[in-house]
Amino acid sequence: MPKLTIDGKAVEAAKGATLLEAAQQLGVYIPRYCYHPKLSVSGNCRMCLVEVEKTSKLVTACSTEAAEGMSVRTDSEKVKAARRDVLEFLLINHPLDCPICDQAGECGLQDYYMEYSLKKSRFPQGDKVTRQKRRALGPHLVLDNERCVLCTRCVRFCSEVTKTSELEVMERADHSFIDLKEGKSLDNDYSLNIADLCPVGAWTSRDFRFKSRVWFLKKTPTVCLGCATGCLIEAHHNENTVYRLVPRPNAETNTWLCDRGRMTYKAVQAGDRLAKGVIKNGLIDLEPALREAATRIDEQHAAAAVLGSPWLSIEDNAALARLAAEALKTENFCFDFSAEQGIKDGILVNKDPAPNTAGAGLVKAACGGLSLEEFSRRIADKRIKVVITEARAAAFIKDALKASGARLIVFAVNRAEIPPEAYATLPYASYFETPGTFVNYQGLKRRAEPAVEAKEGVKPLWAVVNKLAVYSGTSLRLDSAEDALKGINFR
Amino acid sequence: MPFKLTEEFKAKAAHICARYPRKDAALIPLLQELQGQAGFVAEEAMDALAQYLELPYARVKGVVTFYTMFNRAPLGKYHLQVCRNISCHMAGAPALLGRLKEKLGIAEGETTKDGLFTLSTVECLGACGTAPVLQANEDYFENLTPEKLDALIDDLKHGKHPLKR
Amino acid sequence: MILNMESILLKDNVECLEGYFAAGGYKPLKKALALKPSEVTDEVKKSNLRGRGGAGFPTGLKWSFIPKDAPGPRYLVCNADEGEPGTFKDRELLLKNPHALIEGMAIAGYAIGAAHGYIYIRGEFAAEAALLERAVADARAKGFIGRNILGSGFNFELFVHRGAGAYICGEETALLESLEGFKGQPRLKPPFPAVKGLFGSPTVINNVETLAAVPSIIEKGGDWYAAIGAGKSAGTKLFCVSGPVNKPGVYELPLGVPFRTFLENNCGGLKAGKKLKAVIPGGSSTPVLTAAEALAVNLDYESLAAAGSMLGSGAVIIIDESQCMVKLLQVLARFYHHESCGQCTPCREGCGWIEKLLNRLEDGRGTVKDLDTLYSVAEAMLGRTICPLADAMAMPVMSFVKKFRSEFEAHAAGKCCPPDAAGEH
């Protein structure tokens, strides 16, 4: 544990820690382009040069190990001059096309220029090295080599994280550039991380490009519901529209986010978003849809059943549990889901595609219910004639439904989710619009926080359940997601 | 036509790889082998070699584009490389280059129509004491004068000066 | 000082193994193998032999940095990637005395405990590489290389590895990268090669000339070698002279020889009608000396450092009054721009910028402001990169501008070169 001082402040760094990390511990920020905590140290950008007493040359903070008794300055004139010079070098061949660059507002060149340089350009526009301008590389990315600062974060990401090694710096000197095999697509499952990693506007997201200036975006911390990994994310949104999802790095689960996870927000704004109920294939307003659903449930009151869902929050599963217990007063309910848990690609994607198998398990532990096998058997035996569940969970009982022809009433966010067997569909608010608690494969409870508001008339699932109960003649008295948890004894 | 590494190449490659504890260290010698056979390293050759050495293609392409001696397209039969660094410069390399351009009717980086000569300029060839110097394919020609240069071109044209490669 | 002493490195009739052997070659190897490896290193330490590639680091000390108890393989690498403009000494040595290198490597390999050695030779030296391959094969056939050398139980395999055209591979960690089959981009240090070098193992990298001096040191003793030369600059050095002198070429002289003596006695003075203007004493990256500075300096590490330059690779580039310094600097800038590996920002961007500024000055578009920019860009590159290539660009720029400012100013004022500068433009 070496003790050293940085800008006069004493710090005890972990063994093997770099100066950059030790400074971070003190809250001293050292600018960097090539350094990334989760990638190998490359030391090429030279932005993090700092002064170490009794060392003649400046050293890179990203690669220099903190040693006992070191006296480091990150704020000396020498360091400031080095930063100005590096920025000047980086900008001479940069196109300075900020007005049409999507990175503007979160660009390492802009930010550091304002912070550390403000120097007037000495380089004639006509002398700039020109490189290939924007081109789409793969399903998610656009590369503009002219804006590139050759920090090689993208190259290292592909070789060290995805291990797909598509990218490389070609050629050398100031005409070098990032490229991959001609005709090949940069289509690994994590490609959009490159747009985040890129400190400048060289790599941008095709999905996000030109949709919004970043300074208009509001950021809501939430959780990805793309699979059981439950990555922490941030939803970026403005004026009730979500524009992108980015990872919220954390030690427990994720630094990155997979491309599929990033696209999960699309469902919220998709054209097939349900704002009304669906009976068979026809859209009808929510109230008549609820009435119709309630009628069908009442018809078969003794044979009605509720199936929870690993795609729903704990609260919404709890609401369904209470619907079964208090309104339908049936023992025909099931929160018994099991799926193989664990990272299947060695990075983030989970074997279990559902985000809350473990959370549904908590409801099962508290409320009991049938096993999924028994539940299916009862459908097949026609002891269950109406099933209320969430659209994707219906897949668990698909065969039994087919065999028995039981009526299926589902909750769905998008039309695409509705299974063909569904008789009635009730819309509900997505977890980008309403809060919910999820438990990931590690057993960590994580909150989905609403980033946007649901369309008028679209209610959280617990609220729809509450209404359904009323139509069936019972009040569950649910005024919030948390209300659903009342009366359930979670261990 | 898809590029295939010959059995002969593979036998040689196995021998070269054995010099190193990791076979990917043989990448540059093997690229040199391929270039020796074809005169240049084609994209398909890079691909085939990448597969042979179990390397990402990008690594191979990065290496090929980093080193100046790899040609990515076919050149003329004789690749004339005029050194233009400081000692050769002082010894008259620019005039020599000018003479070659005129004589061959091509600019730097071009190949004569008959496919005989490609003209390039190169940085220091490491023979500064015998400047000016030109490398034709792999052979050095030193202490050049306009007369010697003319004679060399004529010899090469008439096949009178067989080069090693 | 003895100037006509017997050569240690450049000898006649030792090109072939037979000749080399007849002249007493490979006896030092036998002698070394009878010593403890540490004793061999000690002898080299005693000799004060310093790296002849340019940096001048003490060779014995470098060998002793190999961790004593590190498990796994160790490697010896010979840097024969001779490419610093003005330098052609290793080529001469490889052609004239390849076995001195091979024997030196076997001895060095024994000293550091390496069972494998590689000679990384620049790709353009095809003929030299072929000769070297043959020499290694000859040495192997006689049991000087290979398994159980001379019955000592020491195994040492030696391979010739050709580069593919990249000046930067003369930098030792770039060389290692290249030898491993990567782009020649220098590594961050630490870790130094002695700890983590080739294939991640402890490695010593020495220049051709350095290793070729080792057999004589073992044969005659470190003290003998240390007594040659000038103080801390011990031994002989190959000086390669180019430019308008009567006898350009490679000369082996004791370190410390006065430049004036060297120029007049060895190089035969300047060609008729030429007047000395400047000297680049140690290869293109070393700061230029004015004629007066050069004529007053001795050719050794300390004297050249005191004169504000460096011994470097011993590549003495003579510049006469007919040359335009702006043009020559432009030629050098074009080179460094071409050879920058592109890794570090200041070098990647700075070398190109400097070339462009010199292009402006050279073709009459430049201003005094450009001249100031030129100098400050060089300053901004100095000491801020992973390897010294940026410094190698910055040092000539700063010294050329400082010492020949009037020529640069004349260009900036739209006038061309001084009246007697008749060089090519």
Side-chain angles (χ1 to χ4, degrees), chain A residues 165-172 181-182, chain B residues 47 56-58 61-62 65-66 68 72:
Chain A
S165 300
E166 294 96 334
L167 298 175
E168 188 50 272
V169 180
M170 305 299 175
E171 309 279 346
R172 64 191 194 196
K181 187 173 178 177
E182 211 180 306
Chain B
D47 219 356
Y57 166 90
K61 180 74 179 267
T65 60
F66 184 85
T68 55
R72 277 168 270 166

Side-chain angles (χ1 to χ4, degrees), chain C residues 195-339:
Chain C
V195 177
K196 199 171 174 230
L198 189 62
F199 305 114
S201 296
T203 302
V204 163
I205 303 141
N206 285 141
N207 174 255
V208 176
E209 188 186 344
T210 315
L211 288 163
V214 169
S216 298
I217 291 169
I218 296 303
E219 186 194 350
K220 297 182 181 163
D223 291 332
W224 161 81
Y225 192 84
I228 305 167
K232 280 199 226 162
S233 293
T236 62
K237 173 86 191 80
L238 298 182
F239 292 99
C240 39
V241 63
S242 63
V245 292
N246 284 309
K247 294 193 290 175
V250 183
Y251 298 93
E252 182 179 358
L253 295 166
L255 281 162
V257 59
F259 170 75
R260 185 190 287 272
T261 315
F262 173 63
L263 179 64
E264 283 160 15
N265 292 8
N266 299 93
C267 309
L270 269 84
K271 285 184 179 166
K274 302 278 187 185
K275 204 172 153 246
L276 187 67
K277 182 182 198 175
V279 176
I280 302 176
S284 62
S285 59
T286 59
V288 67
L289 300 175
T290 63
E293 285 170 334
L295 290 169
V297 82
N298 292 345
L299 298 176
D300 61 69
Y301 296 104
E302 289 73 28
S303 306
L304 279 160
S309 189
M310 292 191 283
L311 178 71
S313 60
V316 182
I317 304 168
I318 306 291
I319 299 166
D320 72 275
E321 287 287 358
S322 70
Q323 297 297 333
C324 164
M325 297 307 272
V326 181
K327 181 70 205 180
L328 292 187
L329 188 59
Q330 183 194 24
V331 168
L332 291 182
R334 185 177 62 198
F335 167 71
Y336 287 107
H337 179 201
H338 184 255
E339 299 298 341

Side-chain angles (χ1 to χ4, degrees), chain C residues 2-313:
Chain C
I2 327 154
L3 285 185
N4 52 355
M5 63 169 290
E6 203 188 326
S7 290
I8 296 169
L9 302 169
L10 293 182
K11 296 178 189 173
D12 291 330
N13 304 319
V14 292
E15 296 94 338
C16 303
L17 180 58
E18 292 71 30
Y20 184 73
F21 194 70
Y26 288 108
K27 277 186 195 140
L29 174 60
K30 193 168 184 183
K31 187 176 171 185
L33 293 175
L35 299 172
K36 280 191 251 166
S38 62
E39 290 171 335
V40 176
T41 303
D42 287 344
E43 208 57 43
V44 174
K45 273 188 184 166
K46 218 189 282 174
S47 75
N48 286 339
L49 174 65
R50 290 164 70 173
R52 301 297 195 224
F57 193 83
T59 305
L61 190 60
K62 198 174 197 179
W63 293 5
S64 68
F65 288 157
I66 295 285
K68 298 272 173 300
D69 43 3
R74 295 150 187 208
Y75 293 100
L76 175 67
V77 176
C78 169
N79 184 347
D81 191 49
E82 183 166 58
E84 170 89 354
T87 315
F88 50 99
K89 64 181 181 77
D90 294 337
R91 182 184 183 221
E92 182 91 350
L93 194 49
L94 290 172
L95 290 172
K96 286 203 160 159
N97 197 0
H99 287 284
L101 170 63
I102 294 166
E103 186 178 12
M105 287 191 77
I107 296 171
Y110 176 71
I112 65 165
H116 290 91
Y118 295 94
I119 302 172
Y120 185 101
I121 184 168
R122 65 176 294 175
E124 291 85 347
F125 285 172
E128 292 78 359
L131 285 173
L132 200 52
E133 292 258 23
R134 189 175 321 146
V136 172
D138 290 348
R140 188 180 286 118
K142 292 279 182 204
F144 300 132
I145 292 293
R147 298 198 65 79
N148 190 19
I149 295 172
L150 301 174
S152 64
F154 171 59
N155 304 323
F156 187 68
E157 265 311 328
L158 185 55
F159 302 105
V160 177
H161 182 107
R162 277 177 69 195
Y167 163 74
I168 190 60
C169 294
E171 194 277 341
E172 59 181 21
T173 59
L175 186 152
L176 295 179
E177 285 288 302
S178 183
L179 193 44
E180 290 184 11
F182 293 92
K183 295 187 280 183
Q185 293 192 317
R187 296 176 182 171
L188 287 169
K189 288 166 287 267
F192 290 94
V195 177
K196 199 171 174 230
L198 189 62
F199 305 114
S201 296
T203 302
V204 163
I205 303 141
N206 285 141
N207 174 255
V208 176
E209 188 186 344
T210 315
L211 288 163
V214 169
S216 298
I217 291 169
I218 296 303
E219 186 194 350
K220 297 182 181 163
D223 291 332
W224 161 81
Y225 192 84
I228 305 167
K232 280 199 226 162
S233 293
T236 62
K237 173 86 191 80
L238 298 182
F239 292 99
C240 39
V241 63
S242 63
V245 292
N246 284 309
K247 294 193 290 175
V250 183
Y251 298 93
E252 182 179 358
L253 295 166
L255 281 162
V257 59
F259 170 75
R260 185 190 287 272
T261 315
F262 173 63
L263 179 64
E264 283 160 15
N265 292 8
N266 299 93
C267 309
L270 269 84
K271 285 184 179 166
K274 302 278 187 185
K275 204 172 153 246
L276 187 67
K277 182 182 198 175
V279 176
I280 302 176
S284 62
S285 59
T286 59
V288 67
L289 300 175
T290 63
E293 285 170 334
L295 290 169
V297 82
N298 292 345
L299 298 176
D300 61 69
Y301 296 104
E302 289 73 28
S303 306
L304 279 160
S309 189
M310 292 191 283
L311 178 71
S313 60

